[in-house]
Each structure stands twice: as C-alpha cells, then as structure tokens.
Amino acid sequence: GTVAGGMDKMNKTKFYEYLAPKSYKNDQMGLFYKLEEAEQDLENAPNNKKEKFQRNVDKIKQKQNDLQEQLYDRFETFKNNMTL
C-alpha cells in the first residue's frame, strides 16, 4: 500500500498539500493573506456594512476550499490510476 492509503481525507489533504507544487502553495498563501485582510475589514466595518464584508470573507474561504478539493481530487485520481 501507499503512505496515503491508511489516512482519512483530512490527513490525506495535509499530506497532498505538503507534496503540492509551488504554484498551489503560492495560490493558497495569497488567499491566506486576502482572508486575513478581509477578516480585518469585517471586524472594522460599520454594522450596516458587515454583511457585505462577511460575503467577501466567505468567498475567499470558498476559494481556499475549492483549491484544496482540486488538489485532493488530482492526487486521488493520480493515485488511483497508479494502482490499476
């Protein structure tokens, strides 16, 4: 078996992120900084604007999750093709 074979999805994802290409890591790092900034903006926003800033935070988190899912799927597909 493979190292990733006995792991759950969360651990596999962390393992795959470790193996990920630099472009993936750069994209995630960029989103991390955008999220930090968006969360600061949300915190500092007037109450009547909080919803707008929350949507921005949610969008960035969704982009992070989507990127992570793409990476996971790519590695899983590769792993499954290797075991055929």
Side-chain angles (χ1 to χ4, degrees):
T2 62
V3 174
M7 292 188 226
D8 64 16
K9 184 173 180 173
M10 189 173 78
N11 286 332
K12 279 185 186 180
T13 300
K14 294 218 177 292
F15 180 67
Y16 295 157
E17 285 184 321
Y18 176 76
L19 299 174
K22 191 171 190 165
S23 60
Y24 170 85
K25 293 175 184 176
N26 287 341
D27 289 347
Q28 280 290 24
M29 188 60 69
L31 288 170
F32 172 80
Y33 287 119
K34 282 183 180 178
L35 180 59
E36 261 194 358
E37 188 177 327
E39 287 175 336
Q40 278 289 339
D41 290 345
L42 173 60
E43 193 176 304
N44 296 327
N47 284 337
N48 64 339
K49 301 280 187 188
K50 294 256 186 216
E51 192 176 319
K52 175 188 169 202
F53 285 96
Q54 183 62 56
R55 282 195 303 268
N56 193 30
V57 167
D58 294 343
K59 268 196 256 181
I60 295 167
K61 285 181 179 180
Q62 187 59 53
K63 285 180 185 177
Q64 286 178 317
N65 289 337
D66 291 348
L67 198 57
Q68 208 173 45
E69 280 296 316
Q70 289 170 4
L71 180 76
Y72 180 84
D73 292 343
R74 196 172 301 138
F75 272 96
E76 285 294 294
T77 301
F78 179 74
K79 182 184 75 144
N80 291 337
N81 288 338
M82 295 296 290
T83 58
L84 295 176

